[in-house]
Amino acid sequence: MTNWKSVYEKWNAFQSLDSQLKKELDDLQTNQEKLEDAFYKELTFGTGGIRGVLGVGTNRMNIYTIRKAVHGLAEYLLNNVVNVKDRGVVVAYDSRYMSREFAIETAKTLGVFGIRTYVFKTIRPTPLLSFAVRFLGTAAGVMITASHNPPEYNGFKVYNEDGGQMVPNEANKIIEAIQQIENELEIPVVEQEVLEQQELLIWIDEEVDNAYLQQLKQITKLPVEEVKQEKDLNIVFTPLHGTAYSLVTKGLEQLAFTNVSVVEEQAKPDPEFSTVASPNPEEHQAFSMAIELGKKVDADILLGTDPDADRLGVAVKNEIGDYTVLTGNQLGALLVDYILSHTNKVLLSNYRLLKTIVTSELGQAVAKSYGVKTINTLTGFKYISEKIHQFDSTGEAFAFGYEESYGYLISSFTRDKDAVQAAVMASEMAYYWKQQGKSLLDALDGLYEKHGYYREGMSSLTLEGMAGTEKIALIMNTIRENSFKEIAGYRVEQVEDYLVSERYITSTGEIETIELPQENVLKFILQNNNWVCLRPSGTEPKIKCYFGTCGASLSESEETLGVFKERINQVINEIIS
């Protein structure tokens, strides 16, 4: 990028700069480090779009960042998708700061090209946006969200006409179009009132919600006669100040789950997420209030969704009356088992389980026991969605898709991870096992006994700013050039380098081709069914390390995990120090 100071000066000299952003820019004059961080690079497309801290600058989320991304999207659509102006683009947004404003900016920018935009009147979950693209037949979709990031973040996710997040070959064309834009400050827009008069901005209400709920009814595995019977299951639900309240409660009501208690303090949308340290159901602290309410009402299961309702966390009452929060891998394996055990056996051979390369192998072992093949994808649900789309031509059938970070898809009427579907199915599964006199923890123990004691873990290191980006690159390059022969005493049997799409077999020196898109990921397959994987995050200034083990007992697997984490952290610290 051009020298950051010249970019800053361009913004500072721009007479029509948004007044709030102008004030922020003036406040930054005395802080050279923050000023540099705001302008030293442009926000780039990562996992499905752009995401960043709100504020002034090219490295921040603001109306100019949005306009630039939307302008690139419009150019891409007009050159690559048919009948764009008539079909239009649908836009949804969550409860974060500036989400509604960014949704309107999207419409204002598309309007210059004569592209109609459908915008929801109020906040909606990400999976509903994915569904809306398919239901309305639009050329694309946009979701304004930063998912479970802290309050100071927002983001812009782009969906293709199939309802899945843009995959690299699509995103790269948008990036090319964005790079042609010389000045993000001078991108033209059409005012909202004009768009409404010309019917280039159409506000949508509950029509899409109702159609989604009709589809949601169909995912149940319960016998027809049981669907409308009141269910003996006590549920606590928290939307963590986000978008899931309406669809989850209505979805549960459709299956006659009548004992649902909502954490009222977390039911209202709140951009500050004021009752949690992080609005992420992967973090156990996010369940504190749900656990408190669960104990009061003697709940069997606790459900927690992130702000844009694409991730679901579940906690289950254990034998001492406390609550155990399931990992994403554990809930995923349970759902694989429940869904496949309630699927017609004649159809199973054509079904496919989809999961990512950093997701537990337990799900694959469960699927194999039902005769179902597993297909691994790169990290990011866009790749799972892409595979589902490919099934239209291969004739394969989608069974279930999931990733370790609490993302699940039960039915492909949406094409992104869907916490609404997952919340309903997890409740149904808990009800099924309760009828057998078991909890989900008992069911999980059964899977471990049958398939092996799989355990997984993840650690991440945040390295912010330009220096952080350089350190993350240094870590990946150093490990790539000095590949492990063993990790904590476990021999490396295969090295998978997704940047060059190669798998190296250490015992023979043979090299195999990995039939997946190229991405900066390294995975080490170790002896005894263990593995370690490193990848920079696509949406945050982090390097993530994933670990998988399978021992003779849970305690053995936990011990091995700890050893792996310690060794990898030691290597990373040596590199950056």
Side-chain angles (χ1 to χ4, degrees):
M1 185 178 168
T2 315
N3 179 284
W4 71 266
K5 286 186 178 177
S6 63
V7 182
Y8 150 68
E9 285 162 5
K10 179 181 75 175
W11 279 56
N12 195 39
F14 185 56
Q15 294 297 311
S16 303
L17 192 70
D18 174 81
S19 58
Q20 179 58 39
L21 294 178
K22 176 62 176 166
K23 182 178 182 305
E24 287 182 36
L25 194 58
D26 292 342
D27 292 343
L28 282 180
Q29 308 284 359
T30 55
N31 191 325
Q32 192 80 353
E33 188 178 337
K34 285 188 175 180
L35 196 61
E36 179 181 356
D37 191 55
F39 286 97
Y40 86 93
K41 67 173 184 175
E42 295 176 358
L43 287 178
T44 53
F45 266 65
T47 310
I50 54 174
R51 190 184 299 182
V53 174
L54 291 160
V56 67
T58 53
N59 189 31
R60 297 286 184 266
M61 288 297 298
N62 52 61
I63 62 171
Y64 304 107
T65 316
I66 291 289
R67 288 175 184 177
K68 191 169 186 176
V70 178
H71 196 281
L73 171 63
E75 294 276 11
Y76 161 77
L77 291 174
L78 291 169
N79 288 321
N80 294 275
V81 182
V82 299
N83 205 17
V84 173
K85 292 184 180 181
D86 289 337
R87 293 166 67 194
V89 173
V90 59
V91 181
Y93 53 94
D94 68 5
S95 53
R96 288 179 174 272
Y97 289 117
M98 295 298 292
S99 283
R100 183 178 170 86
E101 288 88 342
F102 289 166
I104 294 169
E105 286 297 329
T106 301
K108 286 164 67 174
T109 309
L110 289 172
V112 172
F113 296 86
I115 299 173
R116 178 176 292 112
T117 310
Y118 299 90
V119 183
F120 284 94
K121 285 184 177 177
T122 54
I123 62 171
R124 290 295 192 283
T126 288
L128 190 75
L129 182 277
S130 171
F131 174 76
V133 172
R134 298 173 63 78
F135 178 70
L136 297 172
T138 59
V142 168
M143 182 71 201
I144 307 294
T145 180
S147 190
H148 55 278
N149 280 77
E152 63 270 22
Y153 279 76
N154 212 329
F156 172 92
K157 284 205 276 196
V158 187
Y159 288 75
N160 59 27
E161 59 186 333
D162 192 51
Q165 290 185 45
M166 292 279 185
V167 291
N169 64 320
E170 297 167 320
N172 289 339
K173 289 177 183 176
I174 297 175
I175 292 166
E176 285 173 21
I178 290 171
Q179 287 171 344
Q180 301 302 313
I181 299 166
E182 292 184 4
N183 190 346
E184 64 279 350
L185 299 175
E186 294 180 349
I187 292 170
V189 293
V190 180
E191 287 309 309
Q192 180 181 336
E193 298 77 15
V194 177
L195 292 174
E196 289 170 340
Q197 287 165 12
Q198 296 178 353
E199 295 190 342
L200 286 174
L201 170 53
I202 308 290
W203 294 99
I204 49 178
D205 211 340
E206 294 186 1
E207 175 194 5
V208 178
D209 304 51
N210 294 334
Y212 174 94
L213 287 166
Q214 285 300 313
Q215 292 288 328
L216 188 64
K217 272 184 187 177
Q218 313 305 319
I219 73 170
T220 180
K221 299 293 182 182
L222 293 170
V224 176
E225 65 277 5
E226 208 173 333
V227 170
K228 292 188 177 178
Q229 293 175 8
E230 282 196 19
K231 311 290 186 296
D232 177 26
L233 188 78
N234 215 344
I235 301 168
V236 162
F237 167 54
T238 173
L240 294 179
H241 302 294
T243 58
Y245 177 86
S246 175
L247 287 181
V248 169
T249 53
K250 287 175 181 175
L252 291 170
E253 188 181 327
Q254 286 184 155
L255 291 187
F257 286 103
T258 53
N259 300 323
V260 181
S261 302
V262 177
V263 180
E264 292 301 331
E265 300 93 328
Q266 297 174 332
K268 289 180 182 175
D270 173 11
E272 278 297 317
F273 312 113
S274 50
T275 65
V276 288
S278 167
N280 184 358
E282 290 180 79
E283 307 285 347
H284 290 193
Q285 55 78 27
F287 273 97
S288 297
M289 285 186 153
I291 289 172
E292 193 179 320
L293 180 58
K295 288 178 178 177
K296 280 183 187 173
V297 301
D298 193 29
D300 299 297
I301 185 172
L302 315 179
L303 309 172
T305 52
D306 71 342
D308 70 322
D310 63 354
R311 297 172 195 251
L312 173 77
V314 166
V316 188
K317 189 166 65 172
N318 57 33
E319 69 273 6
I320 61 169
D322 210 340
Y323 289 89
T324 299
V325 180
L326 298 175
T327 68
N329 285 311
Q330 289 170 335
L331 180 58
L334 284 164
L335 285 166
V336 171
D337 180 64
Y338 177 73
I339 290 166
L340 296 183
S341 68
H342 289 79
T343 299
N344 187 330
K345 290 180 182 177
V346 177
L347 303 174
L348 286 173
S349 63
N350 198 42
Y351 272 75
R352 301 290 180 262
L353 170 68
L354 299 175
K355 74 174 190 67
T356 72
I357 58 172
V358 296
T359 300
S360 171
E361 298 304 314
L362 177 56
Q364 180 163 330
V366 173
K368 187 177 179 181
S369 72
Y370 288 98
V372 171
K373 180 183 173 184
T374 297
I375 297 174
N376 283 297
T377 73
L378 289 177
T379 308
F381 223 87
K382 59 191 172 189
Y383 296 114
I384 290 176
S385 305
E386 184 182 32
K387 275 291 173 194
I388 297 170
H389 181 60
Q390 289 170 8
F391 290 167
D392 293 342
S393 54
T394 64
E396 296 162 285
F398 172 68
F400 177 62
Y402 76 114
E403 56 188 7
E404 93 299 334
S405 54
Y406 286 52
Y408 316 96
L409 182 62
I410 286 88
S411 174
S412 60
F413 66 83
T414 56
R415 293 292 166 94
D416 201 359
K417 50 189 179 284
D418 188 337
V420 181
Q421 287 191 38
V424 172
M425 187 57 80
S427 300
E428 180 181 310
M429 177 172 66
Y431 166 72
Y432 167 81
W433 283 112
K434 189 175 181 182
Q435 299 298 100
Q436 321 300 312
K438 294 182 178 182
S439 71
L440 289 183
L441 295 175
D442 298 325
L444 184 62
D445 286 339
L447 293 183
Y448 285 144
E449 288 168 19
K450 184 175 180 181
H451 302 287
Y453 291 89
Y454 290 82
R455 288 293 281 161
E456 298 76 31
M458 195 270 282
S459 64
S460 65
L461 178 64
T462 300
L463 295 164
E464 294 183 332
M466 185 160 46
T469 303
E470 290 169 355
K471 285 180 182 176
I472 290 171
L474 176 67
I475 292 164
M476 293 300 292
N477 291 339
T478 304
I479 294 175
R480 184 170 275 116
E481 291 165 10
N482 304 275
S483 188
F484 294 110
K485 291 182 173 58
E486 56 81 33
I487 297 176
Y490 289 84
R491 185 178 67 254
V492 174
E493 296 184 338
Q494 297 177 27
V495 180
E496 296 180 340
D497 188 343
Y498 291 86
L499 194 60
V500 292
S501 301
E502 289 181 352
R503 179 183 296 108
Y504 175 70
I505 314 299
T506 58
S507 60
T508 63
E510 184 184 355
I511 294 176
E512 299 174 350
T513 300
I514 298 173
E515 300 293 342
L516 287 173
Q518 292 180 326
E519 197 164 280
N520 189 13
V521 179
L522 285 168
K523 187 173 183 180
F524 300 91
I525 314 296
L526 312 176
Q527 65 188 105
N528 300 349
N529 233 352
N530 300 303
W531 56 270
V532 172
C533 186
L534 293 91
R535 64 176 281 268
S537 171
T539 55
E540 300 168 280
K542 290 180 178 180
I543 183 164
K544 294 185 174 183
C545 307
Y546 302 83
F547 311 92
T549 69
C550 183
S553 65
L554 277 181
S555 58
E556 181 187 309
S557 296
E558 290 283 2
E559 188 178 334
T560 307
L561 267 187
V563 172
F564 286 163
K565 284 184 181 179
E566 187 178 340
R567 175 61 183 142
I568 296 299
N569 288 340
Q570 178 190 355
V571 169
I572 287 175
N573 287 331
E574 285 172 2
I575 292 170
I576 61 176
S577 62

